[in-house]
Amino acid sequence: MIPAAFDYVRAGSAEEAISLIGEYGEDAKFIAGGHSLLPLMKLRLAQPTVLVDIGRISDLSYIRDAGDHIAIGAMTRHMDVETSPVLAEHAPLLAHAASHVGDPQVRHRGTIGGSIAHSDSASDLPATTLAMGATYVAQGPGGTREIAAADFFQGFLQTALAPDELLTEIRVPKMGGAGWSFQKFNRRAQDWAIVGVAAWRRNGESGVGLVNMGSTPILATSVSAALSSGASIAEAAELAAAEADPQNDLNASPEYRVHLAKVLVRRALEQASA
Amino acid sequence: MTMTEPAASTVLGKRRLRKEDPALLTGEAKFTSDLNIPGALHLAVLRSPYAHARIRSVDVSAALQLPGVVAAYSGADLAPLWAGPMPCAWPVTADMKNPTHHPLAVSKAAYVGDGVACVLATSDAAARDALEAIEVDYEPLPAVVDLEDALSDRVVIHDELGTNRSYTWELKCEGADGQVERAFADAAYTVSEHYVHQRLIPMAMEPRAVAAVPQPFGGDITLYSSTQVPHILKVMTALTLGIPEHQMRVVAPAVGGGFGAKLNVYAEELLCTALARKHKVPVRWTEERTENTQATIHGRAQRQHIELAADADGKLTAVRVRLLADMGAYLQLVTPGIPLLGAFLYGGVYDLPVAYDFSCTSVFTTLTPTDAYRGAGRPEATYAIERAMDALADQIGIDPLELRRRNFIKKDQFPYTAMTGLVYDSGDHDAAATMAAELADYDGLRARQATQNVDGATKRLGIGVCSYFEMCGLAPSRVLASLNYSAGGWEAATVRVLPTNKIQVVTGTAPHGQGHETAWSMIVAEKMGVDPDDVDVLHSDTAIAPLGLDTYGSRSLPVGGVAIAMACDKVIDKAKKIAAHQLEANEDDLEFAGGTFSVKGTPDRSMPLAAVAFEAFTAHNLPDGLEPNLEAQVTYDPPNFSWPFGTHICVVEVDTETGDVDVLKYVAVDDCGNQVNPLIVEGQVHGGVIQGLAQALFEEAVFDEDGNPKTSTLAEYLVPAASDVPPITLGHTITPSPTNPLGVKGIGEAGTIGAAPAVINAIVDALSGLGVTDVPMPASPHTVWKTIHAAQSASSAQGVSK
Ligand SMILES: Cc1cc2nc3c(=O)[nH]c(=O)nc-3n(C[C@H](O)[C@H](O)[C@H](O)COP(=O)(O)OP(=O)(O)OC[C@H]3O[C@@H](n4cnc5c(N)ncnc54)[C@H](O)[C@@H]3O)c2cc1C
């Protein structure tokens, strides 16, 4: 419960953060809210030698209407996502999902960028933004690039970000008029989901993201495909785990997770269609 | 004993905020690890990563080279420091097997977390870093995790014992020889049920912490510890380390919860004390959370087989119980006695003939030692009888509450001599059950259930009842003697009126969250006619409160609180002599009310206690032969246990698709006799119910087959938070205890005792239409889901449709 020794530097801007991480190299890490990184460090599962603190880069904390999408700065805290009037209007699914992250302390410290960069398949916002068809903006020494959520999550805690790239913005399409649902199944309110489902439907289109159903957040494309070819909700929900590869842990066996995914996807689609 | 309480109490029974809380809530209160102790060295303990391993060698030399490290020791290095083994104060049978247990293992580690070496360094971080440099050559041995496996002696854990079996303890009570056998043979109904009490981690909010401060020249040593038992710890530390007891002082500063887990004598207390003496500097240690889940005792861990026999009306005619109890790797302070504390309660609150057959076999495993955890034996017993009563009701086809009513000991049967020979001093089970049923709207719920739980329903309503008796207020010393417990059960109190009429109370109880300072002040205020804020309660320091037997087993109020009331009476007696002398009146003509002595019938001839106190202090004009000062001491040994009781009702809705259990309503009606402070009673019931509910739904210490703990952080060990528990509706009946002058009974463990069976009975009730007859604890969604599936495939295999 005591981390190994490390050095600490604070970045004042995105550019400075990127140059610092380049300077310290491999064993350096960004720290945003610290709510995923510090627990790993305390268990000594992560032992970075330098932490580059991006927590004070206030330029990266915003939620803006950008025409066809909403732009969210990577340093925006879960609590600000949860309570944003802009998101309430244009992307209520995301705001609602954020309200289910951990407990109020976690939501006041943790950031949307940290959650997505960390890419824990058990976290709520990676799967939710994936379901929504989000685009992530990364900035590195050579400039910025956009990465589609569908291309971002590459393996267990692995993303398309290069070590010296900073995630700066999350862009979610406006979803006004869509039906949506976020189903989080857990044992205690503050816990990660045993299985979670983020779903939306609009005019024959749909998106379904699964939380904690594999080594990455999962996009349940079979469900959406079935729906668009006229399957009933119950039929489509049976395909919930087609793309998944769920793990075994103290809370659930893989079989139980598959079963839960089917039940929760069905419930989510029913709610999104109501 | 007669009731001496004034008819209209002015303080007792009134809700009152706790005087402890401002200091606790602002951080002003000092816990052991908050103490500023200049020059203290920090202890860190290297713990075995194996559940069972021979220790071939320990090499600390690399650790000694690290910055800040002052010393490092193996178990063998420290062996000369121990005058005796770690204490077990409850040798339940003459032939009980008790492996030698030292603060650091020497030749074998017997559980993950067993200490094998230690470091002293100038900082906690340096000490913990240095642990990684210690090299231990282990020969891993097979783990023993399962109780039946332990019993088989396939792997013997403690070579010198030759077996994993610690003891078998029996209690057979029969009115006539063979009565139990005959009752089962003649029974109209019998049930035979198996239940498992999973291992639980007590998880006090404050982990343990220790600091030992020696006076190398004066010879004294002070041990600060986050303990429930400073007095017991003092005696045991003196014995184990060979320290003259009069040079040993134990202080329990603010203590953040214990739940029984701090009713012990731990390796780190002995290590800090021994090393502080050896190095002649203070030595301190603070437990980490993960360490706490391994190195602090666990609770429950029993397998039960209970059988009930009943006649055609459902009246119980005999009870037979077989227990298999998990001691863990070693016997800690009262480990072997825990099942015995339950042994007297397997008949529940029911009127039974003398036909009881109980036996408990206890075995060693390669897991953390078990010991007292809130309720200690009694939640286990209550769970068994209350689950079995539901099974019996199901078999007979009557409502479980009705079956209970038919069997309750009736109000007019008290005092009631139970089949075990113990006397239940008072009770009114029917009244508590009736109140609980009304608060829960029991009949309305049953009606709703009939319409809701139809074929194919996926949200099923369940109602669970538990009626309990709690044997607490430990305890009459003679009864403890008959159970081979090595100590008594008395409690001491001193009440001292200061010259300015402020009152000091010295108690042998050791509060760690219970609010004794408030409650004891209220007792004194009521008795002496002063404001509770004018009373100060001194405790938990053996130099200030040298006599005491500490806080556990819901004993503090019915033993320690009563001792205080009796000491007040003694002080008033003495004060009356002084007042009579001053008022030139006959002592018998004086009455004492509202803090003033007055002559009966002539109220203007009076003298307030304040004036008496000052006279007692100046001693200028006291009656001949009377000693100055107003102070009295009482040591009270209770003539009986205290017997709180009640009925809890839990209402759940089970989602059969996911296995999720939603607790819709929880009603707790508890009777703890007269209440000193209802606010504290409510807090105790809330906390207790939630801990019982946590056993039913959330918590379990999980190990893999190699004995590796899988729930070593609060992310895996699921302690429920406020958002995870239902609102609790409280009701109280008040049946004063005739045993003590305050008419009080303990309330610390009642909630824990009532809750687990009520919750599981509710879940099984919800699922009974699906063929489910039992759900193991904790009833996690996954477990409930699997249970439903197993029941359904069993019934479809038999072609039964339910
Ligand atoms: C008790 C508790 C309960 C929780 N419960 C939940 C829950 O129910 N659901 C849930 O979804 N989450 C939960 N979390 C996780 C929480 O949401 C984290 O805050 C979040 O996952 C990470 O965000 P952070 O800002 O804290 O990231 P940090 O911990 O600071 O960083 C995480 C990782 O991402 C990297 N990183 C951070 N920001 C960037 C960036 N802008 N660009 C590139 N790399 C970056 C860091 O280098 C690090 O490797 C919980 C956390 C705790 C402590």
Side-chain angles (χ1 to χ4, degrees):
Chain A
M1 291 288 154
I2 298 177
F6 59 87
D7 285 329
Y8 169 91
V9 287
R10 185 187 293 165
S13 66
E15 291 69 28
E16 189 187 353
I18 294 159
S19 90
L20 283 169
I21 211 95
E23 186 180 324
Y24 290 107
E26 292 240 309
D27 295 328
K29 271 198 160 297
F30 295 122
I31 181 165
H35 269 47
S36 289
L37 184 54
L38 289 179
L40 290 178
M41 289 171 63
K42 286 183 177 180
L43 295 170
R44 299 201 175 187
L45 294 174
Q47 304 205 2
T49 51
V50 181
L51 289 184
V52 176
D53 187 359
I54 56 173
R56 314 275 170 121
I57 308 178
S58 47
D59 290 356
L60 288 182
S61 176
Y62 56 83
I63 298 172
R64 278 187 214 122
D65 187 335
D68 64 336
H69 68 270
I70 307 297
I72 306 167
M75 278 306 306
T76 308
R77 312 274 171 184
H78 302 318
M79 191 59 82
D80 296 323
V81 173
E82 175 185 347
T83 56
S84 156
V86 177
L87 289 174
E89 186 181 348
H90 297 292
L93 170 57
L94 180 59
H96 186 74
S99 77
H100 282 270
V101 173
D103 54 33
Q105 281 154 297
V106 172
R107 296 199 287 278
H108 274 106
R109 294 303 305 166
T111 65
I112 185 169
S115 181
I116 287 162
H118 191 58
S119 78
D120 185 344
S121 68
S123 286
D124 300 310
L125 304 187
T128 302
T129 50
L130 177 64
M132 294 170 76
T135 301
Y136 308 137
V137 181
Q139 184 176 342
T144 60
R145 61 179 180 131
E146 292 178 16
I147 309 169
D151 301 328
F152 186 80
F153 303 103
Q154 302 192 328
F156 179 66
L157 303 186
Q158 278 180 338
T159 68
L161 286 177
D164 58 357
E165 268 184 319
L166 184 71
L167 179 64
T168 53
E169 189 173 281
I170 291 90
R171 296 178 182 166
V172 292
K174 287 188 177 175
M175 299 190 31
W180 57 272
S181 174
F182 184 74
Q183 301 278 329
K184 182 167 179 172
F185 190 79
N186 57 12
R187 291 178 67 185
R188 296 180 304 181
Q190 84 249 33
D191 282 331
W192 274 269
I194 296 173
V195 175
V197 174
W200 60 269
R201 292 189 85 176
R202 184 173 56 189
N203 306 333
E205 279 185 297
S206 68
V208 178
L210 304 180
V211 179
N212 214 4
M213 283 297 289
S215 54
T216 62
I218 303 287
L219 192 61
T221 48
S222 299
V223 174
S224 295
L227 286 175
S228 40
S229 52
S232 70
I233 286 176
E235 288 162 349
E238 280 301 306
L239 304 173
E243 287 76 24
D245 181 17
Q247 66 285 13
N248 192 21
D249 61 25
L250 288 177
N251 288 317
S253 64
E255 303 75 54
Y256 179 52
R257 279 208 160 83
V258 167
H259 169 78
L260 280 179
K262 292 177 183 175
V263 173
L264 297 176
V265 165
R266 192 195 75 220
R267 290 181 182 175
L269 291 174
E270 282 166 355
Q271 194 176 24
S273 309
Chain B
M1 254 181 239
T2 53
M3 299 270 305
T4 59
E5 271 331 288
S9 35
T10 55
V11 186
L12 289 184
K14 307 270 188 294
R15 299 167 72 85
R16 193 178 171 85
L17 289 177
R18 304 194 331 164
K19 58 161 77 171
E20 292 85 345
D21 289 344
L24 289 168
L25 295 174
T26 56
E28 186 178 280
K30 292 280 174 271
F31 295 80
T32 299
S33 53
D34 294 328
L35 300 175
N36 183 8
I37 303 173
L41 295 177
H42 294 257
L43 172 79
V45 178
L46 183 67
R47 301 185 182 281
S48 171
Y50 296 104
H52 191 194
R54 207 168 299 288
I55 301 167
R56 289 211 198 93
S57 64
V58 178
D59 182 356
V60 300
S61 54
L64 289 170
Q65 306 308 313
L66 294 174
V69 174
V70 173
Y73 300 106
S74 68
D77 294 337
L78 295 186
L81 296 184
W82 320 127
M86 301 223 345
C88 171
W90 206 336
V92 293
T93 61
D95 61 352
M96 181 186 85
K97 300 265 192 313
N98 179 15
T100 307
H101 182 200
H102 287 303
L104 291 180
V106 177
S107 56
K108 213 184 207 191
Y111 64 98
V112 172
D114 204 357
V116 296
C118 69
V119 171
L120 288 183
T122 50
S123 73
D124 194 19
R128 287 185 188 272
D129 277 348
L131 294 181
E132 292 181 4
I134 298 178
E135 295 209 8
V136 183
D137 184 9
Y138 294 103
E139 176 192 342
L141 299 168
V144 181
V145 177
D146 176 74
L147 300 195
E148 303 284 350
D149 186 33
L151 204 53
S152 78
D153 283 337
R154 178 185 63 92
V155 175
V156 172
I157 302 162
H158 300 289
D159 311 296
E160 74 275 19
L161 304 183
T163 175
N164 295 325
R165 190 184 290 241
S166 178
Y167 68 86
T168 295
W169 188 88
E170 290 167 343
L171 178 67
K172 193 161 187 177
C173 308
E174 292 187 314
D177 270 358
Q179 186 167 347
V180 172
E181 289 294 325
R182 270 198 310 282
F184 277 95
D186 297 346
Y189 301 99
T190 60
V191 295
S192 171
E193 300 284 306
H194 294 266
Y195 304 120
V196 177
H197 282 264
Q198 75 271 35
R199 260 179 183 259
L200 298 178
I201 302 178
M203 208 66 94
M205 200 183 291
E206 183 207 15
R208 290 186 294 123
V210 181
V213 181
Q215 270 185 289
F217 302 105
D220 290 355
I221 185 154
T222 302
L223 172 60
Y224 298 90
S225 184
S226 177
T227 181
Q228 297 172 228
V229 290
H231 298 90
I232 294 173
L233 183 59
K234 184 191 72 161
V235 177
M236 292 300 176
T237 308
L239 288 173
T240 310
L241 299 180
I243 299 174
E245 191 187 339
H246 64 291
Q247 295 186 327
M248 182 85 218
R249 172 183 174 200
V250 175
V251 182
V255 176
F259 309 115
K262 293 176 183 170
L263 187 198
N264 229 306
V265 176
Y266 280 106
E268 296 79 8
E269 290 165 329
L270 300 172
L271 283 168
C272 285
T273 306
L275 292 170
R277 292 177 87 212
K278 182 178 167 77
H279 287 265
K280 301 186 171 23
V281 288
V283 173
R284 70 190 310 170
W285 171 80
T286 301
E287 192 176 48
E288 291 188 336
R289 180 59 67 189
T290 292
E291 227 174 358
N292 177 260
T293 66
Q294 299 173 0
T296 291
I297 62 98
H298 292 174
R300 311 285 187 263
Q302 287 184 7
R303 300 173 67 147
Q304 307 173 311
H305 180 201
I306 182 168
E307 295 169 280
L308 305 182
D311 67 16
D313 297 328
K315 282 275 294 164
L316 296 176
T317 54
V319 177
R320 186 157 52 206
V321 176
R322 293 290 177 267
L323 290 191
L324 189 53
D326 181 356
M327 305 283 94
Y330 303 102
L331 302 181
Q332 284 275 350
L333 191 65
V334 294
T335 303
I338 302 308
L340 277 62
L341 286 173
F344 298 88
L345 289 177
Y346 281 86
V349 294
Y350 307 115
D351 183 20
L352 270 151
V354 183
Y356 181 52
D357 179 0
F358 172 95
S359 163
C360 172
T361 295
S362 293
V363 293
F364 296 105
T365 55
T366 56
L367 305 176
T368 296
T370 60
D371 207 315
Y373 173 52
R374 200 171 192 171
R378 292 151 290 163
E380 294 92 316
T382 304
Y383 185 86
I385 178 68
E386 289 303 288
R387 287 283 302 115
M389 286 299 275
D390 267 31
L392 181 61
D394 188 47
Q395 193 184 124
I396 302 174
I398 61 171
D399 182 90
L401 186 55
E402 168 58 22
L403 179 69
R404 285 174 172 78
R405 286 191 200 278
R406 283 187 200 174
N407 280 284
F408 282 152
I409 301 166
K410 303 285 177 297
K411 185 179 182 183
D412 59 13
Q413 288 176 277
F414 289 99
Y416 175 90
T417 303
M419 59 186 181
T420 57
L422 292 181
V423 176
Y424 303 157
D425 65 359
S426 57
D428 189 353
H429 301 299
D430 210 72
T434 299
M435 183 186 279
E438 277 168 12
L439 287 171
D441 183 23
Y442 190 81
D443 295 337
L445 285 167
R446 287 286 177 210
R448 183 176 143 197
Q449 185 181 37
T451 56
Q452 184 172 338
N453 292 9
V454 293
D455 273 355
T458 56
K459 295 279 174 70
R460 301 182 86 95
L461 193 68
I463 305 145
V465 180
C466 167
S467 295
Y468 74 90
F469 237 143
E470 182 193 352
M471 174 182 125
C472 69
L474 307 181
S477 297
R478 285 182 183 181
V479 177
L480 293 176
S482 72
L483 295 172
N484 290 329
Y485 184 62
S486 306
W490 48 263
E491 196 47 81
T494 300
V495 170
R496 185 180 294 145
V497 186
L498 302 177
T500 57
N501 202 31
K502 307 294 178 194
I503 299 183
Q504 257 178 357
V505 177
V506 182
T507 176
T509 67
H512 42 283
Q514 293 85 350
H516 292 179
E517 294 179 18
T518 304
W520 295 182
S521 299
M522 291 171 73
I523 293 172
V524 173
E526 180 77 40
K527 283 277 184 187
M528 311 288 285
V530 298
D531 190 283
D533 287 338
D534 287 338
V535 183
D536 191 29
V537 179
L538 305 176
H539 59 82
S540 304
D541 178 342
T542 61
I544 292 171
L547 292 177
L549 285 174
D550 308 315
T551 287
Y552 52 87
S554 304
R555 69 187 305 272
S556 292
L557 175 59
V559 192
V562 168
I564 289 167
M566 295 169 98
C568 287
D569 286 339
K570 263 187 155 176
V571 168
I572 293 166
D573 279 352
K574 180 171 179 182
K576 195 183 243 181
K577 290 193 168 60
I578 299 173
H581 178 74
Q582 295 276 333
L583 293 170
E584 295 178 346
N586 190 323
E587 222 184 294
D588 296 337
D589 294 336
L590 287 192
E591 59 186 6
F592 181 63
T596 297
F597 292 95
S598 53
V599 179
K600 286 176 203 158
T602 347
D604 49 330
R605 280 181 67 200
S606 68
M607 186 169 181
L609 182 65
V612 179
F614 200 71
E615 285 296 337
F617 169 66
T618 63
H620 291 174
N621 183 15
L622 297 181
D624 289 343
L626 201 70
E627 288 178 20
N629 285 319
L630 272 185
E631 173 179 310
Q633 197 212 309
V634 164
T635 302
Y636 171 65
D637 198 339
N640 192 352
F641 292 95
S642 96
W643 298 96
F645 63 91
T647 291
H648 289 199
I649 295 180
C650 178
V651 185
V652 302
E653 194 166 71
V654 182
D655 179 339
T656 57
E657 284 190 296
T658 61
D660 193 36
V661 174
D662 190 8
V663 181
L664 302 180
K665 194 188 269 191
Y666 195 99
V667 173
V669 174
D670 298 282
D671 189 321
C672 58
N674 290 332
Q675 300 188 1
V676 171
N677 184 345
L679 197 61
I680 291 181
V681 171
E682 288 167 17
Q684 289 292 324
V685 176
H686 282 152
V689 165
I690 288 163
Q691 260 170 324
L693 191 128
Q695 175 175 12
L697 295 176
F698 294 102
E699 298 182 13
E700 178 174 21
V702 181
F703 296 83
D704 68 14
E705 65 270 23
D706 296 323
N708 295 308
K710 309 302 279 179
T711 48
S712 289
T713 76
L714 288 164
E716 293 98 23
Y717 190 81
L718 303 184
V719 178
S723 44
D724 307 308
V725 294
I728 301 170
T729 306
L730 298 182
H732 293 284
T733 58
I734 294 181
T735 310
S737 166
T739 303
N740 65 65
L742 290 177
V744 295
K745 311 175 182 185
I747 193 64
E749 295 159 297
T752 323
I753 290 170
V759 174
I760 299 294
N761 279 343
I763 297 172
V764 174
D765 182 58
L767 301 176
S768 62
L770 303 176
V772 170
T773 55
D774 191 24
V775 177
M777 297 190 286
S780 71
H782 191 190
T783 297
V784 172
W785 180 76
K786 281 191 291 192
T787 306
I788 295 171
H789 275 251
Q792 291 197 308
S793 45
S795 59
S796 61
Q798 293 167 4
V800 184
S801 74
K802 267 205 158 187

